[in-house]
Amino acid sequence: MTPATHELSPRSSKRFVRRVAAIAAIGGLLFGYDTGVISGGLLFIRKEFGLSPLMEGVVVSSLLIGATLGALVSGRLADTFGRRKVLLGTSAVFAIGAVLAGLAPDETVLVLGRVVLGLAIGPASAVVPLYIAEMVPADERGALVNFNQLMITIGIVVSYVVGFLYAPVEGWRWMLGLAVVPALLLGVGMLFLPETPRNLVSRNLLDQARAVLRSIHGKADVDGELSEIIAVGEQQRQMSSARGLLRDRAMRPMLITGVGLAVFSQIAGVNTIIYFAPSVLENSGFGASGSILAQVGIGLINVVLTVVAMTLIDRMGRRPMVISAFAGMGISMAVLGVAYLLPNQTGGVSWFVLGCMACYIAFFAFGVGTVLWLVIAEIYPLRVRGAAVGMAAMAVWLANFVVSLTFPLLIAGVGASITFWIFALVCALATAFCARSIPETKRRSLENISDQQIITGTSKAT
């Protein structure tokens, strides 16, 4: 049952939407923690289980197999059962996966635990930003949806700090197992939040949708917005009934935009930093604890630039931020490749490598990380929004899996310089793709965005 809602004062409604964003974004914290914690833990898991480079890739990427499968079904589940129930179920799966991974007696059970964690991360990555986007006013959507991205970066930093604290005792089991705490917090918090008004409308629960809208906007007269949601939803329902999502010509530009941005965000190499930075830094002259501590600094840069981006995104807009970010990431990767041609990979060169990684993460946080899930949550029509967001999330995790599995093999096969130059080339291609395809959606209602794109059949800026 959806928790009761009621009309609030404007000040209370602001507190309500911020509480909604804060609780739902615990899913982002788990997303960040569980993806980032393996970077420090891998140094000790490798030693305890005697992992080969291929098995290192399997241990890291096994989470991404689960995430891909979870994202694949998340859209249909979110549309059928509601965003809130999916997040409740996701919290339980997070807890089970954390316990399995933390208690793993061998690499087989560890891989299984990380697959289970992935089955939670996939839906969380798709449904958390979708839930927040549908629960907040248009003029606050950019900042509040990106509160989820902020929590992802905080989760990554927390995982690095936990890794550093447990590094002296090689306590990788504690690193992985502690994720059970935020999982329980997410489950308890979601019990007190309502379903989104747009999902309630799609299931013809109009009175409940009206009550939630009153809580969001702090006013009794929400019939105008409710009518717009109903009208746009009905128009899109009629259009989508004749053709499938993948065969609908009007949907193709939006699908290309969402899936393309999702894929480029991963194959540009961000997770070579998130997952493997301690391994790369250790090879550059840092010790195990020093490598993890250095990555804490990278994580803090990620958090700070995410906060900066949150304050600017509803003023600067999505397009210029993501385009400039990919360009900066490409330059950072190109210079990082040059660093590995220098003769002495210690001392000043080690710090230069760290600086390149920090610049790369700064650009990613400012643009790609901030824009990715926001645009994906904004551009799709209500009728297919859950399924389309799930498809984009699946693309994120599938691309992430490919990069994570192949990165150790690329480093061993062609060397660090060529590997990072490949990522620089991908960033250049991503810059061109975003300049051509990413729409500007700031300060527009979700109905206005999707209605305009359905009518024009394009996802370009307007």
Side-chain angles (χ1 to χ4, degrees), residues 63-74 115 118-119 122-123 394 397-398:
L63 179 142
L64 309 175
I65 296 173
T68 302
L69 296 174
L72 178 64
V73 301
S74 64
V115 169
L119 291 173
M394 182 184 69
W397 295 112
L398 188 59

Side-chain angles (χ1 to χ4, degrees), residues 16-34:
F16 171 75
V17 296
R18 282 162 175 72
R19 184 167 66 250
V20 164
I23 293 173
I26 297 173
L29 178 74
L30 282 158
F31 174 169
Y33 186 91
D34 285 318

Side-chain angles (χ1 to χ4, degrees), residues 104 117 179 183 351 403:
L117 283 170
W351 288 99
V403 172

Side-chain angles (χ1 to χ4, degrees), residues 8 10-26 131-132 135-137 139-141 143-145 147-148 151 193 215-216:
L8 302 174
R11 179 175 296 180
S12 297
S13 69
K14 285 186 178 295
R15 287 198 296 266
F16 171 75
V17 296
R18 282 162 175 72
R19 184 167 66 250
V20 164
I23 293 173
I26 297 173
Y131 179 82
I132 297 174
M135 285 290 291
V136 303
D139 61 350
E140 297 185 84
R141 191 174 59 242
L144 291 180
V145 171
F147 185 70
N148 176 61
M151 291 295 279
L193 297 185
S215 294
I216 292 170

Side-chain angles (χ1 to χ4, degrees), residues 158-180:
V158 170
S159 75
Y160 295 164
V161 171
V162 169
F164 174 72
L165 293 176
Y166 280 99
V169 295
E170 301 187 1
W172 64 266
R173 296 181 185 278
W174 283 100
M175 298 179 197
L176 273 58
L178 283 174
V180 73

